[in-house]
Amino acid sequence: KDLQPMLPNPLLTPLPNAPSMRIYCFYGTGIPTERSYHYQQPSGWSPDSLKASAHPLSAQEISGAPGEPGKNQSFAATPPSHDWKIQTGLHDPESELLSGIQMSPDGDLTVPLLSLGGLCRGGWLGKRLNPAGLKVLTREYLHKPCSLLTDSRGGPAASAHVDILGNEELLTDVLRVATGAGDLVEERIESRIDQITAQIDWENPDGWT
C-alpha cells in the first residue's frame, strides 16, 4: 500500500497534464506469444499460503554496512515453498492451448499484443487516461526475420522482443524522434490491435472483470 504512489497503475493513472508532450509506441508484432498458463495445484496448497511471511527488519539490519544484503531494506520475505507445475497434458490447438500454455496469436515472442499496444491504441486515446489530449503515435514493426544461416539474430527486419534492437527501421525512427524530427515518423498498424482494444471499455474500469 505504501508503494502505490511510487508504482502507479497505468490502467488507472492518467498521463501528465502536458498537452505539448508526445508519446511514441514502437514495438514488434507477428509472432505467436505465450499469454497465460494452466498450473497444477500443489498438494497442501491454500490461498493463505500465497502470503509471504514478511517481517520488519531490525534497525541494525537496515543500517548495515554498504553492500550488505539488508542495506536500505525494510522487509524480508520468505516465498512459499509449494511446487507449482504447468499442466503440460492440456492441449487444444483450436483454442491455441499448447501443453498447458495459452498462446496469443500475436506479440513479440515475449509480450502479447494486448500488453504491447493496449494503452497506445485504447486507454491513452480516451479522456480518462489522457485528459490533456497528448498525441500518441503507434508504429508497429512486423517481424520479418532472415535465415539464421545469414544472421543468428534475425537480420535487419527482425522484430522479436530483443532482436528488435537491431531493427534498422526502428533505429531510424528512434533517431528521428531523438533529433527532433519525430514528425517524419508515420503511424502504422500491422496487427489486430484496434479490433482488440475496441472491445474494452477504457472509460469505465469499474466494470472490468
Side-chain angles (χ1 to χ4, degrees):
K1 183 177 180 180
D2 293 338
L3 293 178
Q4 286 182 358
M6 300 170 58
L7 303 172
N9 184 342
L11 297 175
L12 301 175
T13 306
L15 293 172
N17 183 19
S20 62
M21 177 179 172
R22 285 189 177 187
I23 294 179
Y24 293 87
C25 299
F26 296 159
Y27 56 85
T29 63
I31 313 174
T33 303
E34 297 178 6
R35 182 172 63 85
S36 60
Y37 307 90
H38 293 260
Y39 288 99
Q40 177 68 47
Q41 180 173 310
S43 175
W45 177 88
S46 69
D48 291 338
S49 66
L50 292 178
K51 300 177 182 178
S53 56
H55 60 277
L57 295 173
S58 67
Q60 182 177 4
E61 289 174 305
I62 295 174
S63 59
E68 291 184 356
K71 180 64 175 175
N72 296 327
Q73 296 179 4
S74 57
F75 287 89
T78 302
S81 59
H82 293 295
D83 186 17
W84 289 84
K85 296 180 180 179
I86 294 177
Q87 293 181 287
T88 56
L90 295 179
H91 198 70
D92 183 11
E94 291 187 4
S95 64
E96 299 179 81
L97 175 61
L98 308 177
S99 300
I101 301 174
Q102 188 65 55
M103 300 295 293
S104 168
D106 202 350
D108 71 355
L109 191 62
T110 298
V111 182
L113 181 61
L114 180 58
S115 296
L116 289 167
L119 285 170
C120 303
R121 298 300 296 174
W124 287 342
L125 300 184
K127 285 291 185 180
R128 183 177 68 85
L129 293 178
N130 189 0
L134 279 66
K135 182 177 180 180
V136 181
L137 184 145
T138 301
R139 187 169 175 84
E140 297 182 336
Y141 302 83
L142 187 63
H143 185 54
K144 299 177 182 177
C146 65
S147 169
L148 292 177
L149 297 177
T150 303
D151 187 333
S152 61
R153 295 193 61 179
S159 297
H161 188 71
V162 173
D163 298 338
I164 197 172
L165 295 176
N167 185 297
E168 293 181 355
E169 189 178 16
L170 169 71
L171 294 174
T172 298
D173 291 335
V174 170
L175 287 173
R176 285 172 174 162
V177 173
T179 57
D183 289 339
L184 298 177
V185 179
E186 297 181 354
E187 196 159 71
R188 182 178 65 197
I189 303 299
E190 302 277 7
S191 68
R192 296 183 58 256
I193 188 61
D194 286 343
Q195 293 93 312
I196 295 172
T197 55
Q199 300 177 50
I200 302 172
D201 187 357
W202 297 95
E203 299 302 304
N204 297 289
D206 291 339
W208 294 354
T209 57

